[in-house]
Amino acid sequence: MATIEDVAKYAGLSRTTVSRVINNQPYVCDEKRERVFHAMQELGYVPNSSARRLRNQKTETIAIVLPRITNPFYSKLVEVMEKKASWWGYQVIICQTYHCAQKELHYLELLRKKQVDGLVMVAIQNEWTKVEEYIHAGPIVICNESIEEANTVIVGIDQQQAAYDATVHLIEQGCRRLAFISGEENSNLVQARYTGYMKALQEHHIPSMDDPIFHEAVDVESGQTILGKVVHMNNRIDGIFAGCDEVAAGIVYAAMKQGIRVPEDLAVVGFHNDTISRLMNPAITTIEVPIVEMAEKSIEQLIRSIEQPLRNKRESYQFAHTLLKRDSTNKRITVPM
Amino acid sequence: MATIEDVAKYAGLSRTTVSRVINNQPYVCDEKRERVFHAMQELGYVPNSSARRLRNQKTETIAIVLPRITNPFYSKLVEVMEKKASWWGYQVIICQTYHCAQKELHYLELLRKKQVDGLVMVAIQNEWTKVEEYIHAGPIVICNESIEEANTVIVGIDQQQAAYDATVHLIEQGCRRLAFISGEENSNLVQARYTGYMKALQEHHIPSMDDPIFHEAVDVESGQTILGKVVHMNNRIDGIFAGCDEVAAGIVYAAMKQGIRVPEDLAVVGFHNDTISRLMNPAITTIEVPIVEMAEKSIEQLIRSIEQPLRNKRESYQFAHTLLKRDSTNKRITVPM
DNA sequence: TTGTAAGCGTTATCAC
DNA sequence: GTGATAACGCTTACAA
């Protein structure tokens, strides 16, 4: 591989001049500039990224930390984030934690190793205090999580309100024996939603059918499994708030298989408005989240923090969600074919 | 940020000794090793990745080039690849081309800039000859594409055979007016499948209903759109081979909406066995692809090529696919509730 | 066993 | 305008 030195020699000039041309700085006469271009062409020269990173103390790379990329919600966030980051000239490293705190810390180390200039956390596995320690190693943006005490940029929606809205909707549809189904019992995200859910229940004087088994649901399969358990409970549940559309879809699918009618016997609300919620039959009522806006804002703010490091100040961007009412909760009207 | 120099000074030792401890090499007595550990602890030292990369001429990073991460097939591939790569201590950069050849070249440059040690291409947008030029800058593994002339590692299934199997199945179910629907008309992948599709048609003396509009289908929406067009064609199509399950799902969904019965009026086969194909009602017949095996093999081979650079030799790993027969093609039996 | 010093490929500073 | 030269932080001959 040709180095800047080789180019300089070939062109009969100094490394400095070549460097100036590469970074198209002024103070190089046209003739020499041309000679440099020619030499670069001839030698097939490409600036070495590692050397640049070392010299400039900048990697132009960011990391996105998330549970698993196959969850459509995360994958959509990543799609938009990568696009945006790429537009700004940044590479994106993807970091799957599989909900493992240890793995998350491993990826956070990227910041201390200076392997990335900053990172976005979509979901958080560790105590915030643990994560916070990394913030002095580089900017961290939190996307879609609710950490009250985080002194950093935090982008998301009002999770509590969203869960409240969904739950009230279930109640208005006539549901009286509700269940709250989610992943990651102790995450802040789930806590916030649970608070909203309970608030709705209390306001309507409805007891919760909540149960520990309902806290491990992260995909279609777990949705199916949970429906199996729900069926065997004494007090037949008639309304479910699910933490994501995959789980909701699994529930609806399994319900139909078992002859449990949705929404007549069981109404279901999901979260995120993933494609699947729209395509299921019946279509699943869900909370629409402004993914594109959230993703873009996250990247925008992360890059701003990278390029002009200043504060460690909380900065919160909250976007609006929407309850999309579909057939999986529509007890009033017969589902049209 | 503390450097190795700082640690050395603090411990009253040389950079060399510290380096030895960091890379746990021999020839450091326990006492000094301990002193180094202590100093590192005390100063919160973390080795600088950029410096290491420059010195070692190695990045321990790979790139995955694909169209869009939101396609569940790609996202599943990436999930497994990242997991495997991470296990080997490699970071993964994700590169979305959006089917744009220019963007692909931009990402291939990562190899020449030495920003990654190697890359996996899932789908290819440029002429192979164009891509081939990058191969001397670092190893490239091709996953799920069929490039006959590629002298590199290539992992996949027999696309032609898979399309053939799917088409024969449609014909056996009684379909006589078939259509082939795919993205990327001129990709090698689509060409291979089309060959298999046509082979099945010819063997059964059936003319193709093929049409140019059927070559832009990459997601659910395009599937829906295409169904709209199919409906208005003179010669009513009764069987569709779709290049991926998203498109198939869009078609099935739109068909049901319009009162076209699947499979009675229109049978549909998809590709990849994505979750959605299983959850749709009717469930969609599809080609199951051994994603995990393909992804793992790709990473395995890429890392092998990185760690012991040798040949530019073609090396092909072909896995078995399976036709999963489901209700979207089951014309014989009434769909059970 | 330990340390000295060279060098990985850049870019910024400063002198000419 | 142009070019030495000194870093950036690390590893590895080679010496001691």
Side-chain angles (χ1 to χ4, degrees), chain A residues 5-219:
Chain A
E5 177 80 50
D6 299 328
V7 176
K9 274 193 188 133
Y10 189 97
L13 294 165
S14 72
R15 293 209 298 279
T16 312
T17 306
V18 177
S19 176
R20 286 210 182 92
V21 174
I22 292 167
N23 301 291
N24 52 91
Q25 288 167 8
Y27 304 125
V28 180
C29 73
D30 288 354
E31 185 255 328
K32 307 210 162 152
R33 196 176 286 273
E34 211 38 64
R35 254 160 68 198
V36 170
F37 277 134
H38 179 68
M40 298 202 308
Q41 190 87 66
E42 211 62 23
L43 300 175
Y45 169 77
V46 179
N48 180 294
S49 148
S50 305
R52 273 202 152 154
R53 288 160 79 119
L54 176 57
R55 174 64 228 214
N56 296 338
Q57 306 283 40
K58 219 168 154 307
T59 66
E60 298 191 318
T61 305
I62 63 170
I64 304 178
V65 181
L66 42 61
R68 342 166 48 207
I69 188 71
T70 32
N71 179 312
F73 173 62
Y74 297 131
S75 109
K76 182 73 185 164
L77 277 174
V78 169
E79 186 203 328
V80 179
M81 287 181 182
E82 194 275 338
K83 188 197 245 169
K84 189 89 176 177
S86 176
W87 190 88
W88 284 94
Y90 281 74
Q91 306 304 327
V92 173
I93 289 180
I94 171 181
C95 309
Q96 298 183 103
T97 64
Y98 294 98
H99 300 286
C100 164
Q102 202 52 44
K103 280 213 177 65
E104 183 172 85
L105 291 178
H106 165 76
Y107 286 122
L108 280 165
E109 284 294 325
L110 292 178
L111 217 45
R112 304 216 305 155
K113 291 192 262 193
K114 298 294 175 206
Q115 194 160 350
V116 299
D117 294 332
L119 60 80
V120 180
M121 302 193 71
V122 185
I124 299 187
Q125 311 305 323
N126 286 275
E127 298 288 308
W128 172 249
T129 50
K130 201 113 185 190
V131 176
E132 202 171 23
E133 296 172 22
Y134 288 88
I135 221 159
H136 79 271
I140 296 179
V141 166
I142 301 174
C143 181
N144 196 50
E145 265 281 8
S146 327
I147 312 283
E148 294 302 332
E149 67 273 33
N151 281 322
T152 185
V153 175
I154 178 157
V155 176
I157 64 164
D158 187 337
Q159 301 284 353
Q160 181 180 330
Q161 183 66 41
Y164 176 85
D165 294 348
T167 310
V168 166
H169 173 64
L170 283 172
I171 296 169
E172 286 175 353
Q173 293 298 305
C175 299
R176 288 297 174 271
R177 298 184 301 283
L178 302 185
F180 176 90
I181 297 184
S182 75
E184 299 305 290
E185 183 164 11
N186 40 13
S187 85
N188 289 271
L189 178 73
V190 171
Q191 287 305 324
R193 288 182 184 169
Y194 190 66
T195 305
Y197 167 83
M198 287 304 291
K199 185 170 162 233
L201 257 53
Q202 280 155 9
E203 282 183 11
H204 294 79
H205 312 293
I206 295 174
S208 167
M209 298 279 107
D210 195 15
D211 191 286
I213 62 155
F214 298 161
H215 284 292
E216 299 304 326
V218 292
D219 54 18

Side-chain angles (χ1 to χ4, degrees), chain B residues 4 16 19 23 45 48 52 55:
Chain B
I4 198 173
T16 311
S19 175
N23 302 291
Y45 170 76
N48 180 295
R52 275 202 150 155
R55 171 64 226 216

Side-chain angles (χ1 to χ4, degrees), chain B residues 149-288:
Chain B
E149 67 273 33
N151 283 320
T152 186
V153 176
I154 177 156
V155 176
I157 63 165
D158 187 338
Q159 302 284 352
Q160 183 181 328
Q161 184 67 41
Y164 176 84
D165 294 348
T167 311
V168 167
H169 173 65
L170 283 172
I171 295 170
E172 284 175 356
Q173 292 299 304
C175 299
R176 289 296 174 272
R177 298 184 302 282
L178 302 184
F180 176 90
I181 297 184
S182 75
E184 298 305 290
E185 183 164 10
N186 40 14
S187 85
N188 289 270
L189 178 72
V190 172
Q191 287 304 324
R193 288 182 185 169
Y194 190 66
T195 305
Y197 167 82
M198 287 304 290
K199 185 170 161 235
L201 257 54
Q202 281 154 9
E203 283 183 10
H204 294 80
H205 312 293
I206 294 173
S208 167
M209 297 278 106
D210 194 16
D211 191 286
I213 60 158
F214 298 160
H215 285 289
E216 298 304 326
V218 291
D219 55 18
V220 173
E221 282 69 25
S222 42
Q224 293 181 243
T225 308
I226 282 171
L227 184 99
K229 302 199 181 173
V230 165
V231 168
H232 294 105
M233 289 177 64
N234 295 332
N235 221 337
R236 255 306 177 78
I237 279 167
D238 62 3
I240 287 180
F241 169 82
C244 78
D245 284 341
E246 312 327 292
V247 172
I251 288 169
V252 167
Y253 179 78
M256 303 305 276
K257 283 277 179 207
Q258 303 211 8
I260 297 170
R261 294 169 307 162
V262 177
E264 295 83 351
D265 303 334
L266 177 68
V268 179
V269 180
F271 217 105
H272 296 151
N273 189 25
D274 293 326
T275 301
I276 200 157
S277 67
R278 180 170 73 83
L279 295 191
M280 288 296 290
N281 186 1
I284 299 174
T285 295
T286 191
I287 300 284
E288 185 178 33

Side-chain angles (χ1 to χ4, degrees), chain A residues 228-243:
Chain A
K229 304 199 178 171
V230 165
V231 168
H232 293 106
M233 289 178 65
N234 295 332
N235 220 337
R236 253 310 175 77
I237 279 167
D238 63 2
I240 287 180
F241 169 83

